[in-house]
Amino acid sequence: MSPDSPDSPDSPDSPDSPDGPGEWRLTHDLDAFLDRAGDFLASRPALHTVPLTVVDSLRRRGPHVYGDEDPVFGVLGGDAPAGTGGGVRAVFFRTPPHGIYLTSLTAQEADALAGTLAAAGHRFPGVSADRDTAAAFARAWQRRTGSGSRVTVRQRLYRLAELTPPEPAPAGRARVADAADRDLLVRWYEEFSAQVGGHPVQDGGAWADSRVSYGGITFWETPDGVPVAMAGVTPEVAGQIRVAPVYTPAELRGRGYAGAATAEVSRAALASGAAEVLLFTDLSNPTSNGLYQRIGYRPVADFAAHEFA
């Protein structure tokens, strides 16, 4: 019997799973996960921006936004009654076919999680987390499974302090994308995904439709109305909004379009009442890191993704 079978006593969905105090509780049930871990995620909205926005997307758009298989969630601790948030020390999620995402863990906790998942037969292509947690889990996963790894992405999380729009701004104006822009949004989303070295994490059309539904993409347009860059934002969750993605076609870069679009969506996020406005940058790109700091973003923490062999 597969460990993931609903009839298995060790199934993530089994309410009688032998999870003693301080052990990982696994489930496919998003509501059960949020009931136990929602307060923990909201307690550190900047550091938890990715799980907050992913689970919000799953809640709003259904469990198969990112793939055909059901997501898996895990909670470490949380032995107080569900809904109180008491005692939760860490969480993870996985939206197949993508890798596992972890909140901060000690090396011992990372090793325990790797052991739990390996023993249950779970396999996945990689891990993403803050830099130290990702490295600790990758080492533990190699010990448990023999699978080596390599770092594929190094990112820095920034928080907006005082917004300083770039001066002078490029000629043109900002405009929120609408349904008429769908084809362009799909193309730019796919180009952006290729640029950052991966495949789109969801269908481009579904992504565009979702972003248009809440005004989640802003273009910078030339004076004659031609879009030349885009900056997006995630919906507000737990007081935080994350700027993503920011994209300018290669032939249009170096003219200030991305900075202008980013400043505009940052201004709009602040005006909407967001307590935290955040963004990630690729540490291998000094141009974007310098740009966002000039706009007013300040470093919070470094993150990494490891791909397993």
Side-chain angles (χ1 to χ4, degrees), residues 51-305:
L52 282 167
T53 53
V54 168
V55 298
D56 178 69
S57 183
L58 293 169
R59 180 183 58 79
R60 290 184 298 106
R61 301 172 57 196
H64 301 134
V65 172
Y66 302 101
D68 293 336
E69 296 181 48
D70 290 339
V72 180
F73 309 96
V75 179
L76 177 62
D79 302 304
T84 67
V88 174
R89 300 203 299 277
V91 305
F92 79 80
F93 70 84
R94 186 187 174 217
T95 54
H98 308 293
I100 189 172
Y101 188 97
L102 314 173
T103 60
S104 295
L105 297 173
T106 66
Q108 182 179 9
E109 291 167 344
D111 186 68
L113 176 59
T116 296
L117 295 176
H122 292 270
R123 295 295 183 269
F124 32 83
V127 61
S128 298
D130 68 82
R131 179 187 58 200
D132 293 344
T133 297
F137 186 86
R139 291 191 297 269
W141 193 247
Q142 182 171 16
R143 287 194 298 271
R144 300 285 186 167
T145 68
S147 177
S149 68
R150 66 185 183 94
V151 178
T152 55
V153 177
R154 291 184 175 88
Q155 294 181 314
R156 180 159 291 158
L157 176 65
Y158 287 87
R159 173 192 287 117
L160 183 60
E162 182 176 352
L163 180 61
T164 306
E167 292 290 346
R173 66 183 183 95
R175 175 177 68 82
V176 176
D178 59 29
D181 302 303
R182 186 178 191 270
D183 289 347
L184 178 60
L185 289 174
V186 171
R187 185 169 77 251
W188 280 8
Y189 171 69
E190 292 173 349
E191 290 174 3
F192 171 81
S193 298
Q195 172 189 301
V196 297
H199 300 288
V201 297
Q202 54 185 296
D203 174 76
W207 174 85
D209 293 340
S210 174
R211 288 303 181 105
V212 167
S213 72
Y214 66 90
I217 292 289
T218 293
F219 290 128
W220 190 263
E221 293 185 332
T222 60
D224 54 355
V226 177
V228 288
M230 71 174 180
V233 290
T234 61
E236 184 275 326
V237 187
Q240 61 85 38
I241 290 176
R242 179 156 42 87
V243 176
V246 177
Y247 178 69
T248 306
E251 68 275 13
L252 297 172
R253 292 172 191 165
R255 307 179 193 185
Y257 298 143
T262 301
E264 174 56 25
V265 296
S266 301
R267 182 204 61 77
L270 290 173
S272 75
E276 302 267 22
V277 183
L278 310 163
L279 57 77
F280 281 101
T281 64
D282 184 342
L283 281 172
S284 69
N285 187 337
T287 300
S288 63
N289 282 269
L291 167 65
Y292 297 133
Q293 290 183 73
R294 290 193 297 275
I295 290 175
Y297 283 87
R298 299 294 177 260
V300 176
D302 287 356
F303 288 72

Side-chain angles (χ1 to χ4, degrees), residues 25 32-40 75 77-88:
R25 301 171 186 267
F33 170 72
L34 288 174
D35 193 36
R36 188 168 294 278
D39 289 345
F40 166 76
V75 179
D79 302 304
T84 67
V88 174

